[in-house]
Amino acid sequence: NAGVTQTPKFQVLKTGQSMTLQCAQDMNHNSMYWYRQDPGMGLRLIYYSASEGTTDKGEVPNGYNVSRLNKREFSLRLESAAPSQTSVYFCASSGTGTGAEEKLFFGSGTQLSVL
Amino acid sequence: AQSVTQLDSQVPVFEEAPVELRCNYSSSVSVYLFWYVQYPNQGLQLLLKYLSGSTLVKGINGFEAEFNKSQTSFHLRKPSVHISDTAEYFCAVIGNTDKLIFGTGTRLQVFP
């Protein structure tokens, strides 16, 4: 009954450090997503993966890389963190289909601060 | 490409009053529309969705929304709000891709 699990919940980095946000879902979903949420900006799509082995850029991909390790896991990597990447990050997954039954399941979020 | 506009960043309202949160979208293709709610320190939960059929959609917690194609709107309404409805509400759209695009959110603050 876990749904979408994100780790860590909180992280503080110094400018230039790297880190990977982990995400796993146990619902056998094909599609997975990484969003960032900033005040007044709503949620913006960073990257998404429509299926295992494929990834595509979203609205704000610069400074990030992703890896769809398998069907369950979709990680987000910051190679050289910048203060502009201070945000709350949400992983999400959704089932199969053409979008007609789209329903995203969200993780609980990662609060990242880059000093 | 599709986009979503939520005109009100904050909506203050007293308990038991009605509320409407506005959402307009733009798209050159048919869309599917969604409202999500985010309670403090939590992820997003689906409130309701419009896929096809009846333009009046009922969701959880007494919320409903009406799809208006001519006005490209999908406003969220509740006839009587509770303190517990205090949250941020996001409108979202999917067009001809699998990408769900969100609006910037509306913070609903319910006062006693």
Side-chain angles (χ1 to χ4, degrees):
Chain A
N1 197 23
V4 179
T5 304
Q6 278 182 249
T7 55
K9 291 189 182 300
F10 301 94
Q11 183 71 50
V12 179
L13 295 176
K14 294 180 180 178
T15 298
Q17 287 186 316
S18 63
M19 78 158 295
T20 300
L21 306 184
Q22 307 287 351
C23 176
Q25 51 91 8
D26 60 3
M27 296 171 284
N28 202 35
H29 285 165
N30 283 334
S31 300
M32 297 186 74
Y33 310 77
W34 277 105
Y35 286 90
R36 60 177 288 174
Q37 184 179 22
D38 303 289
M41 305 288 285
L43 277 84
R44 292 180 291 169
L45 183 64
I46 305 171
Y47 271 94
Y48 72 105
S49 170
S51 63
E52 182 180 352
T54 67
T55 60
D56 287 285
K57 294 179 180 180
E59 303 168 73
V60 289
N62 292 342
Y64 305 95
N65 286 302
V66 290
S67 179
R68 185 73 183 268
L69 305 170
N70 48 55
K71 193 170 187 179
R72 289 188 64 249
E73 298 172 293
F74 188 41
S75 60
L76 178 73
R77 182 162 178 83
L78 287 70
E79 290 290 353
S80 179
S84 62
Q85 294 177 305
T86 293
S87 186
V88 180
Y89 291 84
F90 287 99
C91 178
S93 71
S94 67
T96 59
T98 60
E101 291 298 324
E102 190 73 43
K103 178 182 175 180
L104 288 182
F105 290 83
F106 282 86
S108 56
T110 298
Q111 175 74 60
L112 175 66
S113 296
V114 183
L115 307 178
Chain B
Q2 53 268 15
S3 65
V4 178
T5 302
Q6 290 182 246
L7 296 169
D8 306 302
S9 59
Q10 296 188 58
V11 174
V13 64
F14 287 108
E15 194 172 21
E16 298 184 4
V19 71
E20 178 180 84
L21 306 184
R22 296 182 292 169
C23 173
N24 289 88
Y25 68 92
S26 65
S27 176
S28 59
V29 299
S30 296
V31 296
Y32 305 114
L33 294 154
F34 306 81
W35 274 98
Y36 283 83
V37 60
Q38 184 180 29
Y39 298 104
N41 301 312
Q42 295 186 28
L44 278 75
Q45 302 173 33
L46 181 68
L47 264 182
L48 50 79
K49 59 185 176 183
Y50 170 78
L51 305 178
S52 64
S54 172
T55 57
L56 183 62
V57 180
K58 294 189 182 299
I60 62 172
N61 300 341
F63 283 93
E64 63 181 33
E66 185 158 18
F67 172 59
N68 188 318
K69 189 175 181 179
S70 62
Q71 297 186 6
T72 61
S73 68
F74 190 55
H75 301 332
L76 181 70
R77 302 186 183 98
K78 185 169 182 178
S80 176
V81 295
H82 300 139
I83 295 285
S84 59
D85 292 323
T86 293
E88 189 138 19
Y89 293 79
F90 293 93
C91 183
V93 62
I94 289 180
N96 57 351
T97 71
D98 283 336
K99 291 187 289 186
L100 189 63
I101 303 299
F102 287 86
T104 52
T106 297
R107 176 159 180 75
L108 175 64
Q109 181 75 51
V110 181
F111 295 95

